[in-house]
Amino acid sequence: ESLHLFSLKQICQLEWATQQLKPKRSAARFNTILYQRAFEEVERCSALELCFIMQGFRQKKNKSLTERVRKNLIERRRTLFPSGVETKEGLESLINTFLTFATCRPKLYGVYRNYAQDDVEELVANYEHDLCEAGEQASPEQLTRLAQALYVL
């Protein structure tokens, strides 16, 4: 009843907890409600909240949620990262978002593996300029995270 009072971060934490800690003690309907809430929020959330969604729902390995996040990263590029990589916060946000997306997305697409690879290439192509700039301006730790994200993608 009071699920609407929870923030997106709390929804993602609940999802992770029910999947990771007590998978047999929560109802499937509860997890469906959590998923629907997160799925609806993707369109209007920040880059950090996208990281929360990817992190919290990584055990689901849901391709439709991942696809929606990917499309959102492409379409809302300038609103998610308004300063690009020109500020320290923008640089850190971009690298962290890419790393989270890379490590939390489903890896097994079966016969649709080529389509998944095309989707990743489209995402990287849209951020190519920002990623190159990020590589030039990043600290050693950030550069390692960026390289890891691109390697995993």
Side-chain angles (χ1 to χ4, degrees), residues 36-75:
Q36 287 173 341
R37 172 88 188 276
F39 194 78
E40 292 167 1
E41 291 288 324
V42 169
E43 298 294 326
R44 53 187 174 273
C45 63
S46 67
L48 181 62
E49 290 172 330
L50 283 177
C51 289
F52 293 156
I53 291 172
M54 291 301 296
Q55 197 70 11
F57 288 84
R58 70 183 176 276
Q59 293 295 331
K60 274 209 184 296
K61 298 183 185 336
N62 191 296
K63 295 177 183 95
S64 62
L65 181 63
T66 304
E67 179 62 19
R68 190 161 185 172
V69 169
R70 184 194 67 80
K71 283 183 179 176
N72 232 289
L73 284 170
I74 291 171
E75 293 169 2

Side-chain angles (χ1 to χ4, degrees), residues 39-128:
F39 194 78
E40 292 167 1
E41 291 288 324
V42 169
E43 298 294 326
R44 53 187 174 273
C45 63
S46 67
L48 181 62
E49 290 172 330
L50 283 177
C51 289
F52 293 156
I53 291 172
M54 291 301 296
Q55 197 70 11
F57 288 84
R58 70 183 176 276
Q59 293 295 331
K60 274 209 184 296
K61 298 183 185 336
N62 191 296
K63 295 177 183 95
S64 62
L65 181 63
T66 304
E67 179 62 19
R68 190 161 185 172
V69 169
R70 184 194 67 80
K71 283 183 179 176
N72 232 289
L73 284 170
I74 291 171
E75 293 169 2
R76 295 179 48 219
R77 182 174 149 214
R78 289 295 165 212
T79 56
L80 289 172
F81 310 104
S83 61
V85 294
E86 295 167 9
T87 64
K88 185 178 179 181
E89 293 81 25
L91 175 69
E92 199 169 299
S93 178
L94 179 72
I95 291 172
N96 288 340
T97 303
F98 257 81
L99 182 63
T100 305
F101 180 80
T103 56
C104 295
R105 72 185 181 92
K107 307 296 186 285
L108 302 174
Y109 280 86
V111 296
Y112 300 104
R113 177 170 275 155
N114 291 337
Y115 295 119
Q117 188 61 37
D118 291 345
D119 291 344
V120 167
E121 288 174 6
E122 180 186 5
L123 176 66
V124 172
N126 276 289
Y127 281 92
E128 184 174 7

Side-chain angles (χ1 to χ4, degrees), residues 122-137:
E122 180 186 5
L123 176 66
V124 172
N126 276 289
Y127 281 92
E128 184 174 7
H129 181 69
D130 289 336
L131 292 172
C132 289
E133 280 186 41
E136 293 172 2
Q137 299 173 9

